[in-house]
Amino acid sequence: QVQLVESGGGLVHAGGSLRLSCGASGFSLDSYAISWFRQAPGKEREGVSCISSSDGSTFYADSVKGRFTISRDNAKNTVYLLMNSLKPEDTAVYYCAIDPSPFGGACHLVEQYHEIWGQGTLVTVSS
């Protein structure tokens, strides 16, 4: 069964750090770009960051640039999102996702093309 599983969420004070993990079962991540999205309470889901499959190029939303770092360990079939200097506005459910199309190796945050999603992990940042 093809599945993505996020972990690492939790409660942290503003200014703190968390590292989210996105693991895959049933398939190998190394052929795919991996994207992170988040959905805050009462808001639409938004793209946060992505990393390509080939050269590891990355993209970050302006709201997290300089604070979040995405990385991948293909040997562990896992992608990470290191979140530093967390702010209360980072509070959200964080999802990893994959575009399984032939173009899915390229990093992008167009939500409609991401067809494989994890269940999400909740990040709460207290002020």
Side-chain angles (χ1 to χ4, degrees):
Q1 182 180 2
V2 173
Q3 194 173 7
L4 292 173
V5 179
E6 302 95 339
S7 61
L11 173 64
V12 64
H13 291 299
S17 298
L18 283 174
R19 189 180 76 161
L20 305 184
S21 299
C22 172
S25 62
F27 71 106
S28 176
L29 286 178
D30 58 4
S31 298
Y32 300 97
I34 309 300
S35 304
W36 285 96
F37 292 82
R38 68 184 181 185
Q39 187 165 22
K43 295 187 177 181
E44 293 187 354
R45 191 155 54 188
E46 63 173 351
V48 174
S49 180
C50 58
I51 184 167
S52 71
S53 65
S54 54
D55 60 2
S57 58
T58 58
F59 175 83
Y60 298 93
D62 287 344
S63 58
V64 306
K65 199 174 295 182
R67 299 187 298 121
F68 289 12
T69 303
I70 190 170
S71 62
R72 64 191 303 155
D73 186 338
N74 288 338
K76 294 184 178 179
N77 216 25
T78 301
V79 171
Y80 303 98
L81 186 68
L82 175 62
M83 307 185 296
N84 293 323
S85 303
L86 282 163
K87 305 175 181 179
E89 52 263 44
D90 294 318
T91 294
V93 178
Y94 284 72
Y95 302 89
C96 59
I98 286 175
D99 169 1
S101 77
F103 306 103
C107 174
H108 72 83
L109 292 176
V110 181
E111 184 176 344
Q112 68 187 87
Y113 296 114
H114 288 77
E115 298 181 2
I116 301 174
W117 293 80
Q119 83 289 350
T121 185
L122 176 62
V123 172
T124 303
V125 184
S126 64
S127 58

